[in-house]
Amino acid sequence: MMRTTIEALYIFDQHNDPILEHTYRSRPAAARTVLPLYLAHAAPRPSLIYLPNINPPTLLFSLVYSGLLFLSPASADTEPLFVLEFLHRVIDVLEEFLGAPLLASKIEGAYDVVAQLLGEMCDAGSVCNTEPNALRDVVDIPGWMGKLLGGVSLPGPSPALGPSGSLKQQLVLNPSTTGPAIPWRRANVRHTSNELYVDIVETLSVTLAPSGRPLAALAYGSIAFTSKISGVPDLLLTLSAPGGKAAIDRALQLPVFHPCVRLARWRERPGELSFVPPDGKFVLAGYEVNLLPSGPAFDFKSPPNLHLPVSIEVSKSLGPTGADFEARLHLSNTFPGSSNSSASSRSALGSRSSTPAFGGGSFSSPQLADVVVTIPIPAGVRNIPDLRASRGEAHFSPAENMVEWRVPTKDAAAAGSATLRCSIVGPLSDEGDEGATNGFRFDAASGEYDDREEAYQSSGSAFVEHGGSGSTGEREQQEQRDLRRVQQNAPLMPSSASVSFSVKGWLASGVKVEGLVVDTRKSRGLGEGVKPYKGVKYLTLSKKGVETRC
């Protein structure tokens, strides 16, 4: 039976120097013992490594974040996802208390706070409390850090900064205003401006065949929620998908939720999320959407209707010697469902179009931006001196064996096609074909070039003697040389190309927010007449997620 316990936590800086060692239970392998064994594995290193040559044999869980290395050894069979999730929670909590980005100097400078956090999150190997809002009430944060975390949006100092009995006194004196004991929400939350924001981000993962037919198309969604509202609000968020609310259960596959979401409500009414939110920004839910049609009614002979704002085609072995390839980028400024999705979300949420939902401005229509084409190049290519792009700029990186083509936002906004033509230079040939065509040959033994002047004279005289018939033979020889070069350059052609981009105000899956309601009957401490401002924002991302095979 697999255990669900944490034995130890080791943190190393970017130079692999240990900055923290925290042991929870038993006697795990020391940090100086497991680190060399971890580094002995070739990169990219897996998140779970078995080390049988130490005593005791150890399972080593690892996570690299912001240049820091987090290791957790286990001397017995342990649930892998449990340990990895604990490492992610440690990173989230440290960023919440120390600030982002998470640096080694911040951990070393606030070790007293870090030690308290690790002790509260896990006790004798058992994970206890990993919610930042609940940890603020039990962790003593001295100095300016406590003022920063405890004084924001609060009428007074945080209970963690006051006397030891201040929190108990507040609970006794004000039992009706504190609301229920909720582990993910602080007590007595107060905000001068009551605001609720929903931010849905979808990341694409699409693979296209050389013919353009989609082989796989998935969208991984994340619903980020920001709650800046007083008291203990009880909220209801309603989602919908193309085909109405009844299709939301089929569209959202493998949903995952924050502990605050009431799962019974979701099972009874798919698409409705009822919850009491934590204070601040958090991830409310995640999901996966298959963008390709499926089921018994799906016709495999007809091409599926997959709309992407950006697609790419690659033509290889162009030119007389097959040393050129061309990438053609297709840009579209039509987004299905975008005309009514933004309007419906604004009307349902009651948001004002003049105020952006998450800062950075508001967009009346979806906008395509950050278009970058990445073309991996085989290692045998020496150089690509000639890159001709009809839009944007392109460059070749020999160190990474990659061509990167960037299209500015102003050029990506215009629908149409853009092309990139590249000419490769392959490895040096041992046959000396290049030297044979211009009368020079390199002698590797002597290290000198041989000027074959007689070859020119003999070929010219032969041409004169035969009355020009030598030109036909030369053309045939040239065609044979070109054919040979085409065959030699074929392995040097790219085999795939990927596109990165972002679209604000549009989701590829068609998921949208129908409404966000504050249940005043179940909420506590909101105050009379409080109507929070609500906003929603959509974003579709492709981080090299649209890949075309060629």
Side-chain angles (χ1 to χ4, degrees), residues 198-239:
V198 184
D199 192 2
I200 304 181
V201 181
E202 288 187 353
T203 304
L204 299 180
S205 177
V206 180
T207 303
L208 303 175
S211 61
R213 183 184 182 89
L215 303 177
L218 297 174
Y220 301 97
S222 177
I223 304 177
F225 198 93
T226 301
S227 172
K228 297 181 180 180
I229 189 169
S230 303
V232 183
D234 198 296
L235 307 179
L236 178 62
L237 178 67
T238 306
L239 303 176

Side-chain angles (χ1 to χ4, degrees), residues 243-265:
K245 293 183 180 180
I248 193 70
D249 191 25
R250 299 190 303 269
L252 300 188
Q253 303 173 2
L254 304 177
V256 292
F257 302 101
H258 189 275
C260 66
V261 177
R262 300 182 178 99
L263 296 181
R265 181 66 175 266

Side-chain angles (χ1 to χ4, degrees), residues 80-131:
L81 293 180
F82 176 81
V83 182
L84 294 176
E85 179 63 21
F86 175 76
L87 294 180
H88 281 283
R89 292 293 183 96
V90 169
I91 293 173
D92 294 340
V93 169
L94 292 181
E95 276 195 336
E96 183 75 19
F97 279 79
L98 305 183
L102 186 60
L103 303 176
S105 57
K106 294 181 179 180
I107 297 177
E108 294 175 338
Y111 180 75
D112 53 343
V113 177
V114 175
Q116 292 183 71
L117 291 173
L118 296 181
E120 293 291 341
M121 295 180 67
C122 185
D123 184 14
S126 299
V127 177
C128 303
N129 185 6
T130 60
E131 291 293 336

Side-chain angles (χ1 to χ4, degrees), residues 455-540:
Y456 281 122
Q457 295 175 353
S458 61
S459 63
S461 61
F463 177 80
V464 173
E465 292 176 0
H466 293 282
S469 62
S471 60
T472 303
E474 289 181 359
R475 283 198 301 267
E476 293 178 354
Q477 294 178 1
Q478 183 65 33
E479 291 176 356
Q480 293 178 359
R481 284 196 296 265
D482 291 344
L483 180 60
R484 186 167 62 251
R485 290 175 183 172
V486 170
Q487 296 174 352
Q488 293 174 351
N489 290 329
L492 305 178
M493 292 290 106
S495 59
S496 65
S498 58
V499 187
S500 303
F501 60 89
S502 65
V503 181
K504 298 180 180 179
W506 176 74
L507 295 179
S509 64
V511 174
K512 62 181 180 181
V513 177
E514 287 290 340
L516 178 59
V517 179
V518 180
D519 193 339
T520 56
R521 296 178 300 174
K522 298 180 181 179
S523 302
R524 303 284 185 87
L526 288 181
E528 297 181 1
V530 175
K531 295 182 179 180
Y533 167 68
K534 311 165 190 176
V536 64
K537 216 169 191 181
Y538 304 131
L539 176 64
T540 297

